[in-house]
Each structure stands twice: as structure tokens, then as C-alpha cells.
Amino acid sequence: MNPMTAARSRLSPADRPQLGLRERKKIKTREAIRDATYALIREQGYDATTIEQIADRAEVSPSTVFRYFPTKEDIVLTDEYDPLMLEELRARPADEPWMDSLRHVIHMSLDAMMAEDPDAVRMRAHLGIQVPAVRSRMVESMSETGRMLRGALAERTGLDPDGLDVRVYAMSLTGGLMEVYMHWAETGFQGELVDLVDRALDVLEHGLPTGNP
Amino acid sequence: MNPMTAARSRLSPADRPQLGLRERKKIKTREAIRDATYALIREQGYDATTIEQIADRAEVSPSTVFRYFPTKEDIVLTDEYDPLMLEELRARPADEPWMDSLRHVIHMSLDAMMAEDPDAVRMRAHLGIQVPAVRSRMVESMSETGRMLRGALAERTGLDPDGLDVRVYAMSLTGGLMEVYMHWAETGFQGELVDLVDRALDVLEHGLPTGNP
DNA sequence: CTATATTTTGAGAGCTACTCTCATTTCATG
DNA sequence: CATGAAATGAGAGTAGCTCTCAAAATATAG
């Protein structure tokens, strides 16, 4: 899922020998840039970290950094879970209640991300509440996930994926889930993210506990 | 409300004689900058319009432009309806169902904005779908409205405004409403925005028409 | 292995949003 | 009118990002 946006498939280039030298090198540079960025941000913070510094530490030129990532925020974020989620969603039984499917799929992605690099998950959330540009990019990426969700939802319900209803519904879901992520970071990462997401899904399904909806 | 973000109180400086010359002049420059920006964007588009051009046409220096607006996006957006909404929300009878109150308040703000400058409302929506930076700023501004909503909601329900549930609920509302605004722009401004908002609120309250929620 | 074609990279110039500083101008007040 | 305060303009500086072009690295054919 996207709120947490990103977490590369951390297979070292050597693990994919079927790829040519060129491809393997590209993966390596990509990782070098990202690692350099994370390290520098940890040392100096996001704003104090310039592209030039990142390039230096990753041992590439600034041009190359921009060739790999369109913006500075994208170095930190960049998502790769949407296709996986979509596939998983489609694989669910067609008669399963939508919310159950969603819950299942989110659990999956979350587990995958936490298994991959739990530190990065937290760091991204942290940057999300501190750096407006990062939060923006995160929201953007969330709403891409939202579009994917619309597609899946439309398949299930037979509704128009671009109709107002589906759009509103999907976006309210993604908005709510985004807020979970931010809340988690703002409260110092207390509790398991998965549990918070579950509570959020309850709210989204049944309204506020008060019943006021 | 905020999705539409902004619409100045268009009272010419002369209408507020109680203010000193200094204050009146400030209002005038603010408007001059905004008008110049709108005009230039209409002529050339957002990206092609530079701060320098805006400054020239508004007959101020670039420095002054930034003194009045922190970013280029803010020249276009800048919201002033939140306090009004909050006041109006508080004035509603305490036993009125929350959704009814919300609906009422949104109608109000929407009417106010459309009465003020309907053209600007459309233009902002249009920029929102075309220019990522503007959309970002709009989302940001939306989530400020969301925070305000949390406060009002907490007063009503007695829940913690910073608790997960209220946050998720409020953000899912704002997210859904934001999507209405985008949908409206993407479909060429067909139909009345108010009607679309009403439909959206139905979805947010009762789930999708299918009943799948 | 060599030659050629294709990709990837680096260097550098250039644009623009945005920040900061300081002198100058403009308004407010006694 | 004089003095203090606020608003403005000019200008230098930073950093993200784009574009171009030549050099380097890799793939492919003979």
C-alpha cells in the first residue's frame, strides 16, 4: 500500500544474474543514491542535504541523480507496491466483502514493507510530518494508489471507475489511511501500525465510535 | 470550505475608510498581485508565468511579491473561509445530526465563494488538476480545513480531537470532498458543484450505492 | 578481437523560485 | 515639521531542476 510509499526490493544486483551488466549497474546506482540520501538526512536533516552532497556520497554526478529520480522527494519515497496490491486484490474471492479484501491486502503490503526495511518506513513517516514537500509527494503517491483502488473497486461493483461515487469513496479511504500514517509518526510510532490501520478501517466502515457517524 | 480554497473579500480599499492609508495600500497591492497573476496565467499558463512578470504587471518589485505571498501557488490559492465555517458550525444546534450541520456549512461557503468570484473557483480547480504544485498546496490547505473540522467534531462528540478515530474520520471527509472538486474540473465543470458535493456526502455517509460499502 | 552502434554518464550552462540584507522611500505621530 | 516605524526596492546568493553535448561504458556483429 502506498501511505508508506516505497521500499525497494532489496535484492543485491548479484542476485539477478540473468540481467546484463548494464542493468545490474543501474540497480546499484539507484541504491547507492538512495542509501546516500538516507544517511545524509539522518546526519543533517532533509533541507540541509543538497543534491550535490548526495551525488558526492553516491559517487555519481548531480546529473545522474536527476536521471534516476525526478525530484529530491522521490529519492526518499518512490513506491513499488501498487501492482502487487492490485494483483492480490484481484486474487481475492469475488464474493468476499470489499472491506475484508482491502484489509487483507493492506496487511500484506504493510508486512512486506516492515519486513523489508522498517527503519525506512518510520523515517518516511517522520519526513512526511516535517517536510511539506515530502508530505505533498506522499499524498500524490497515495492518490495514485487511490486510482488503482478505484479500478479494483469498479471491477467488483460494476460501477464506473471514473464516476463521482467511486472516486469519492476511494479517496476518502486513502485520505483516512494517510492520516493513520501521519498520526502514527506524530505520536512517536507508538503501537503497531497494522493495528492502527485496522482501527481506521473500522471508523471508515462504521463511522465514529459515538455512532454519530 | 477549503477545497475551493480562497476567494478574497472583494471590497475595494475605499470601502473601508476606517483603515489607515498604509493598510489600504497593502490591500491594494495584494489585489494587484493576485489580479496580475490571474491575468498572466490566463494568457500564458501557470508555468510560463514568472514572478518577475507578475511583479512587473502589478508594478511592484519581486521582493514585494514574496513579502505578500510565501510561494507562487499561494498567490493563486490562499484560503479565508475556515474561520467563517467554524463559526457557522458552532452556531448550529447541538442536537442536529453532524452530517446535516456539515452539509449546511458547506453549502454556505460554496455559495459565498461562487457569489464572490465563480471564475476564480473554476480556475483554481483547473490549475489543481494541471499543476502538481498547485494541487499540493490545495491538499495542504484542505488538511488545514480538516484540522478545523476535527476541532468542531470533537466539541460535538466529546472525543479527543487528536485521537486516531476523529483524525481518520475528518480526513476521509476532506479527502472525499477534495475529490469532488477535482472530478468537477476534470469533467469540464458539468453540473452544479453544490449538487456534486451533496452526492459525495451521501456516499461518505452511507457508502457506495451498491451497498457494498 | 576489433569495429560499430547504443546507452549511460559527466560537465557545465541556464532558468526560476525563494531567501536575506541593507539602503531608501513612504506613512504615522507628536 | 521632525522623528520613528513600516513598507519597498535593489541586489546578491542558494538550490532544485532542465537541457545540451561530448566522453566513457557496454552491447552486438563480423
Side-chain angles (χ1 to χ4, degrees), chain B residues 21-103:
Chain B
L21 174 56
R22 212 158 238 174
E23 297 304 314
R24 274 177 284 153
K25 224 173 191 175
K26 266 161 78 172
I27 293 175
K28 247 171 86 178
T29 16
R30 215 184 152 75
E31 287 181 355
I33 293 173
R34 250 209 268 253
D35 290 342
T37 306
Y38 276 127
L40 283 166
I41 290 180
R42 258 185 264 272
E43 293 169 16
Q44 320 174 333
Y46 182 86
D47 287 331
T49 300
T50 72
I51 298 286
E52 210 181 329
Q53 293 174 332
I54 294 173
D56 278 357
R57 183 165 306 197
E59 295 184 287
V60 294
S61 74
S63 320
T64 300
V65 174
F66 283 114
R67 242 183 232 106
Y68 279 81
F69 300 94
T71 71
K72 193 177 160 189
E73 302 92 71
D74 281 288
I75 307 180
V76 180
L77 299 178
T78 301
D79 195 332
E80 283 130 21
Y81 279 92
D82 281 12
L84 191 143
M85 273 187 72
L86 185 57
E87 193 186 341
E88 200 72 16
L89 255 182
R90 287 215 175 98
R92 303 300 299 173
D95 59 338
E96 181 180 51
W98 166 255
M99 268 295 177
D100 294 354
S101 304
L102 188 61
R103 207 177 287 260

Side-chain angles (χ1 to χ4, degrees), chain B residues 109-122:
Chain B
S109 319
L110 234 53
D111 288 350
M113 283 192 294
M114 290 304 270
E116 195 87 76
D117 189 347
D119 234 49
V121 175
R122 274 190 288 272

Side-chain angles (χ1 to χ4, degrees), chain A residues 22 26 29 60-61 63-64 67-68:
Chain A
R22 216 159 231 173
K26 267 160 80 170
T29 351
V60 294
S61 75
S63 321
T64 301
R67 238 181 236 109
Y68 279 80

